[in-house]
Amino acid sequence: MKKTNEKILVSALAGMTALQGMSTTLMSVCAQENNETTHVSVMNVKMSQKDELESKLNDSKKDADEKTLALDSAKGALSVASKQVEILESKQDEKSQLVQQDYQAMYDAINSKLQPLLDEITNLEGQIKGAKKDLDDKISASQKAAADLEEAQNTLASKKDALEQLQKKLDSFKDEGDLTKELEKATQEKDVSEKAVSDAQKNVDDASAVLLQATSDAANKKLALDQANQSLDAALADVSQKQKIVDEKQALVDSFNEDTTKAELEQAKIDLSLAKDRLSKAQESVDVATSVYNDAVSAQEKAQQAYDASCQDLENAKASLAQAQDALAKAQEDVNNLESQMEVKNEEIKGLNTKIDAAKSNVDRAQSKYDKALNDYNSISSPLDQAKKNLNDFEAKYTTELARLNQGSKGYFDSIGCSDLANYVFKVDNSAEGKLASYTNLGQVDDATSLKNMQASIAYLKECNEIRKQEGLPELKVSAWLMAVAQVNANHAKYNIEHAGVYVTGENLAWGYGDANTAASPYRGWYDEEKAEYLAGNHNFSDIGHYKNIVEGRYTVTGYAIGTNGQFSMAHCQEFLDDVMGVDDDVQMTVSEFEQSFNDYCNNLQSVDAKHKELQDAVKNAASSNTKDDTALKQAESELNSKKSVLSDLQAQLTQAKTDKKVISDNMDAKQNEVSKLKNSVKELS
């Protein structure tokens, strides 16, 4: 065969290179700078237009058959789903009845305990009236205290109203524990209110007493001050008088200078000195009285401030209490509204349950009518029914074979127990092996895994062993592992003129060659031409590597694959190994054994496929000639679906009503918690 650098090349990679530590991606490439020679592809085989049309026709027919099967399967699934819906509806009805019975039992139990609570509320009202009378008797200290007590009385009256409202609400409560808690809270609030009124009265009384004492003390001190001032005025007048006398006596002394007058002058001076002493003491008494009076006035002012602050605190507490009571009343009103909504929703649920019971009865009657119509219809046999039964029985029996029709070589590997190795080689992921597998489309036309191309590879395996026999070498066995590896590498080679280099094997690749045992066979280049090169003295592996792989005595197993209609025409790949390591489920057999095994598998699939299509055609033919009258059955089915639709709508309404009830219940719980917190706030402010 003529060599040229202008046509598609054939490259080789030998397993021995890996054993010698050489690169696993050695290959010969066309148009290299050193002008190395390459093997050329000389054959390009195309499908005829007739083959292409037949292939498209078969694909269309297969697609139609698959859609028919999918439709029949969907109908079966629909029937099963309908039965499951009926079972679930029955279970839902039983559950609803149990819930209703439990609800009624709880309601009756609560009603039986309401009367003791009513009696206790009556007793509380008597206690509140007694507390009111006791508070009325205590209103006597002052007008301000009386006003405070009147406010406390109003607070007690509001608590009484709250208890009366509680009595009115008892019927709407659904939990005995809630009633008890409300009653206990009301009692506690009554006690806290009484204590708050008593404390407020005591604070006002204490402040008033302190203020009265301070006022009385200040008045007494004012009286003492006035008396001291009077004594001071008298002393001043006396001193003035005595001074006047002294002055007069002094004048006399100065005028007469007699002993008697001098004696009188001395006495007057003594009297004046005594008067000054009394004046000094009077002044001291006035100073002390003034200081005491000022202290008394200061004490009175502080007492007045304390009294005013106490009154202001009381007013502030009343304002906060009034605000808390308003918020409590609003929250309680919201609770009452929610309770009314709950009653309405319960009535709605009760009405829906009644309608659902009636709708279920209608469905049961329609179901019975439909079952009878179906039984009547089924009792009349037809060619279509028999054809469908035959098809369903066949598909149930040959499920595995039918599933493998489109799996290509993967189905064959599964059939001989090599599922794990096939799953590994054909799995697409981000690993090197997975990326290589991404070029493969299992079972598709022109893919190396198609049964047609796998069938065609057997002739190349035979040709290889004939060559080895001529060389005096043992024949290679077929390895399922190497067959799968060859297929993914052949699919990769359809778009890449290079070795993928993922699996460490001896590997021969070729592009553009044709059928085995012909002048177009890749062995004309791999073996004939490269052997001639070798015998001529060229032992460069890049030139004669394909030949060396074929005649390598250490190799014991092989795998072969072809991918058709690739970017570079037909791609050929042959794998070589002396042993398959690390693959537990690999199956090895002679080429004859492999051919027999594979042909049996294909023949069986073809037989199953042909019979399946025959049965599908029988169903189609029977459908066109079916004469059974299904009018009554369709009417019964339509009526049944209508009744089920009504039931479904009612059940949807019931579900929504229960959801709404749950929302109302949650809101009631939240609002009752708010009421409880507000009551605690009122209690703290009271």
Side-chain angles (χ1 to χ4, degrees), residues 208-219:
S208 179
V210 171
L211 179 59
L212 290 174
Q213 180 63 36
T215 302
S216 176
D217 186 51

PDB file of all heavy atoms in Angstrom, residues 208-219:
ATOM      1  N   SER A 208     -50.977  62.245 105.176  1.00  0.00           N
ATOM      2  CA  SER A 208     -51.850  63.263 105.770  1.00  0.00           C
ATOM      3  C   SER A 208     -51.514  63.477 107.240  1.00  0.00           C
ATOM      4  O   SER A 208     -51.486  64.608 107.736  1.00  0.00           O
ATOM      5  CB  SER A 208     -53.314  62.840 105.604  1.00  0.00           C
ATOM      6  OG  SER A 208     -54.179  63.796 106.192  1.00  0.00           O
ATOM      7  N   ALA A 209     -51.247  62.335 107.962  1.00  0.00           N
ATOM      8  CA  ALA A 209     -50.920  62.450 109.386  1.00  0.00           C
ATOM      9  C   ALA A 209     -49.617  63.228 109.578  1.00  0.00           C
ATOM     10  O   ALA A 209     -49.503  64.082 110.458  1.00  0.00           O
ATOM     11  CB  ALA A 209     -50.818  61.062 110.006  1.00  0.00           C
ATOM     12  N   VAL A 210     -48.627  62.892 108.735  1.00  0.00           N
ATOM     13  CA  VAL A 210     -47.349  63.604 108.837  1.00  0.00           C
ATOM     14  C   VAL A 210     -47.537  65.092 108.554  1.00  0.00           C
ATOM     15  O   VAL A 210     -46.977  65.958 109.227  1.00  0.00           O
ATOM     16  CB  VAL A 210     -46.336  62.977 107.858  1.00  0.00           C
ATOM     17  CG1 VAL A 210     -45.073  63.831 107.788  1.00  0.00           C
ATOM     18  CG2 VAL A 210     -45.997  61.558 108.288  1.00  0.00           C
ATOM     19  N   LEU A 211     -48.354  65.377 107.529  1.00  0.00           N
ATOM     20  CA  LEU A 211     -48.603  66.777 107.183  1.00  0.00           C
ATOM     21  C   LEU A 211     -49.315  67.508 108.316  1.00  0.00           C
ATOM     22  O   LEU A 211     -48.958  68.652 108.675  1.00  0.00           O
ATOM     23  CB  LEU A 211     -49.447  66.848 105.906  1.00  0.00           C
ATOM     24  CG  LEU A 211     -49.806  68.259 105.416  1.00  0.00           C
ATOM     25  CD1 LEU A 211     -48.557  69.078 105.125  1.00  0.00           C
ATOM     26  CD2 LEU A 211     -50.693  68.161 104.178  1.00  0.00           C
ATOM     27  N   LEU A 212     -50.325  66.868 108.958  1.00  0.00           N
ATOM     28  CA  LEU A 212     -51.045  67.504 110.066  1.00  0.00           C
ATOM     29  C   LEU A 212     -50.121  67.752 111.252  1.00  0.00           C
ATOM     30  O   LEU A 212     -50.162  68.808 111.897  1.00  0.00           O
ATOM     31  CB  LEU A 212     -52.226  66.613 110.485  1.00  0.00           C
ATOM     32  CG  LEU A 212     -53.397  66.530 109.477  1.00  0.00           C
ATOM     33  CD1 LEU A 212     -54.413  65.501 109.939  1.00  0.00           C
ATOM     34  CD2 LEU A 212     -54.056  67.897 109.304  1.00  0.00           C
ATOM     35  N   GLN A 213     -49.265  66.743 111.563  1.00  0.00           N
ATOM     36  CA  GLN A 213     -48.333  66.891 112.682  1.00  0.00           C
ATOM     37  C   GLN A 213     -47.357  68.028 112.414  1.00  0.00           C
ATOM     38  O   GLN A 213     -47.076  68.841 113.299  1.00  0.00           O
ATOM     39  CB  GLN A 213     -47.575  65.569 112.889  1.00  0.00           C
ATOM     40  CG  GLN A 213     -46.564  65.596 114.031  1.00  0.00           C
ATOM     41  CD  GLN A 213     -47.236  65.825 115.379  1.00  0.00           C
ATOM     42  OE1 GLN A 213     -48.345  65.331 115.616  1.00  0.00           O
ATOM     43  NE2 GLN A 213     -46.589  66.574 116.273  1.00  0.00           N
ATOM     44  N   ALA A 214     -46.856  68.074 111.167  1.00  0.00           N
ATOM     45  CA  ALA A 214     -45.911  69.143 110.835  1.00  0.00           C
ATOM     46  C   ALA A 214     -46.584  70.507 110.895  1.00  0.00           C
ATOM     47  O   ALA A 214     -45.992  71.491 111.358  1.00  0.00           O
ATOM     48  CB  ALA A 214     -45.338  68.891 109.438  1.00  0.00           C
ATOM     49  N   THR A 215     -47.831  70.569 110.426  1.00  0.00           N
ATOM     50  CA  THR A 215     -48.572  71.846 110.477  1.00  0.00           C
ATOM     51  C   THR A 215     -48.804  72.299 111.922  1.00  0.00           C
ATOM     52  O   THR A 215     -48.635  73.474 112.275  1.00  0.00           O
ATOM     53  CB  THR A 215     -49.916  71.687 109.757  1.00  0.00           C
ATOM     54  OG1 THR A 215     -49.668  71.281 108.395  1.00  0.00           O
ATOM     55  CG2 THR A 215     -50.682  72.989 109.749  1.00  0.00           C
ATOM     56  N   SER A 216     -49.205  71.350 112.817  1.00  0.00           N
ATOM     57  CA  SER A 216     -49.438  71.674 114.238  1.00  0.00           C
ATOM     58  C   SER A 216     -48.154  72.124 114.912  1.00  0.00           C
ATOM     59  O   SER A 216     -48.130  73.108 115.662  1.00  0.00           O
ATOM     60  CB  SER A 216     -50.026  70.449 114.942  1.00  0.00           C
ATOM     61  OG  SER A 216     -50.165  70.699 116.329  1.00  0.00           O
ATOM     62  N   ASP A 217     -47.066  71.403 114.604  1.00  0.00           N
ATOM     63  CA  ASP A 217     -45.782  71.747 115.209  1.00  0.00           C
ATOM     64  C   ASP A 217     -45.341  73.138 114.754  1.00  0.00           C
ATOM     65  O   ASP A 217     -44.841  73.940 115.551  1.00  0.00           O
ATOM     66  CB  ASP A 217     -44.752  70.692 114.810  1.00  0.00           C
ATOM     67  CG  ASP A 217     -43.432  70.900 115.528  1.00  0.00           C
ATOM     68  OD1 ASP A 217     -43.421  71.034 116.764  1.00  0.00           O
ATOM     69  OD2 ASP A 217     -42.393  70.933 114.829  1.00  0.00           O
ATOM     70  N   ALA A 218     -45.542  73.400 113.455  1.00  0.00           N
ATOM     71  CA  ALA A 218     -45.169  74.723 112.946  1.00  0.00           C
ATOM     72  C   ALA A 218     -46.002  75.819 113.599  1.00  0.00           C
ATOM     73  O   ALA A 218     -45.500  76.906 113.916  1.00  0.00           O
ATOM     74  CB  ALA A 218     -45.355  74.750 111.423  1.00  0.00           C
ATOM     75  N   ALA A 219     -47.303  75.543 113.856  1.00  0.00           N
ATOM     76  CA  ALA A 219     -48.160  76.542 114.520  1.00  0.00           C
ATOM     77  C   ALA A 219     -47.678  76.803 115.948  1.00  0.00           C
ATOM     78  O   ALA A 219     -47.640  77.952 116.407  1.00  0.00           O
ATOM     79  CB  ALA A 219     -49.610  76.052 114.521  1.00  0.00           C
TER      80      ALA A 219
END
